[in-house]
Amino acid sequence: QVQLVESGGGLVQAGDSLRLSCAVSGRTFSTYVLGWFRQAPGKERDLVAAVSWGTNGKYYSDSVKGRCTISRDTTKSAVFLQMNSLEPEDTAVYYCAAGRSYSLYPRSYDYWGQGTQVTVSS
């Protein structure tokens, strides 16, 4: 079992930065891929970025590439999403998820946090 708890969301202005945090715990997460998804009202849940816990290999979606950085801290057992130059289009609920391998699809991830709201005003 893997437990995920997100934090760091909030209301910011366009151009601001946020760092989302996901505290990870469990017995097998060291072999997992940790991903950040987001879902805006009326939209599908899309993968933003992912990192392999073991290798630190990373993936970024085209929509955030160059503005976001995903990282993991093996000492703190946490994964982070640093988001810069935020835009109103980034407004969504952001979810941390854990899966056995890289995938674009939410159904491939086994564990999910509750989500944290990010709202970017213009």
Side-chain angles (χ1 to χ4, degrees):
Q1 184 178 2
V2 176
Q3 296 88 41
L4 307 168
V5 180
E6 303 99 330
S7 62
L11 174 63
V12 299
Q13 294 183 338
D16 285 352
S17 297
L18 275 178
R19 191 178 78 156
L20 306 182
S21 299
C22 176
V24 185
S25 62
R27 305 183 71 172
T28 61
F29 71 88
S30 61
T31 64
Y32 273 63
V33 170
L34 280 300
W36 283 99
F37 286 79
R38 67 184 182 185
Q39 187 168 25
K43 303 293 185 180
E44 296 181 341
R45 186 173 297 187
D46 294 325
L47 180 67
V48 177
V51 60
S52 169
W53 191 265
T55 68
N56 204 31
K58 299 173 182 179
Y59 165 85
Y60 296 97
S61 70
D62 291 339
S63 63
V64 302
K65 192 172 184 178
R67 298 190 296 116
C68 295
T69 302
I70 191 170
S71 61
R72 92 279 195 267
D73 187 326
T74 57
T75 300
K76 296 181 178 180
S77 296
V79 62
F80 306 96
L81 184 67
Q82 177 70 42
M83 301 189 293
N84 302 319
S85 301
L86 285 165
E87 305 167 352
E89 291 75 19
D90 296 315
T91 296
V93 177
Y94 284 71
Y95 299 91
C96 184
R100 297 293 291 175
S101 63
Y102 281 107
S103 176
L104 297 175
Y105 307 110
R107 65 177 180 268
S108 298
Y109 291 76
D110 300 315
Y111 303 99
W112 294 83
Q114 294 296 314
T116 184
Q117 176 72 48
V118 173
T119 302
V120 184
S121 65
S122 59

